[in-house]
Amino acid sequence: MHTVCSYDRLCAVRRIVIMGLCVLWTELRWLVGPDRHFSSCLRLMKKEHARLSGKLARMATLADPEHENLMKDLSLLTEDMARLESARAEAFQKVHQALRVRFARELAD
């Protein structure tokens, strides 16, 4: 006994496949484009953070003026990393917003 797929089911599958391809395309454009900049900057910042943290851990005295300067640098670097992470999240939201609007409109139909 053969069951024939209905036209509505084929349209639904087609729509799901197209939506998946749109998501894939948007993700690839994000990873190849803006995310490369964010990733490289964050990688360098994390490397510098690890270096400064290691240097701070090796320092013997807390009264050393260099220790205080290192603590300030580490604090500023942590703030910069947090700021860059939030900018990355905002850029990601902005890139994917059009896709979300489109999918919401299509799924409402």
Side-chain angles (χ1 to χ4, degrees):
M1 190 160 134
H2 279 40
T3 57
V4 178
C5 291
S6 68
Y7 178 74
D8 293 335
R9 184 172 287 188
L10 287 175
C11 287
V13 169
R14 182 184 141 274
R15 188 161 63 173
I16 290 170
V17 168
I18 289 173
M19 290 169 75
L21 290 173
C22 289
V23 169
L24 180 64
W25 176 246
T26 304
E27 286 291 323
L28 285 174
R29 284 188 318 180
W30 166 254
L31 290 174
V32 172
D35 194 49
R36 287 180 59 198
H37 167 70
F38 288 114
S39 295
S40 65
C41 289
L42 282 170
R43 185 175 50 253
L44 292 173
M45 287 177 146
K46 287 177 182 179
K47 190 175 180 180
E48 181 67 13
H49 188 276
R51 186 186 72 76
L52 290 176
S53 296
K55 188 175 181 180
L56 189 63
R58 288 188 299 273
M59 292 188 114
T61 63
L62 296 175
D64 188 7
E66 188 178 336
H67 184 273
E68 292 176 15
N69 289 339
L70 216 60
M71 288 290 288
K72 290 177 186 176
D73 289 346
L74 202 54
S75 173
L76 290 173
L77 185 60
T78 303
E79 289 174 10
D80 288 344
M81 285 171 54
R83 201 172 299 121
L84 190 61
E85 284 284 351
S86 68
R88 181 185 193 185
E90 288 175 18
F92 182 84
Q93 291 292 332
K94 185 178 177 183
V95 166
H96 289 75
Q97 184 61 33
L99 197 61
R100 285 188 187 93
V101 169
R102 177 181 170 193
F103 286 172
R105 190 174 52 241
E106 283 187 19
L107 292 174
D109 293 340

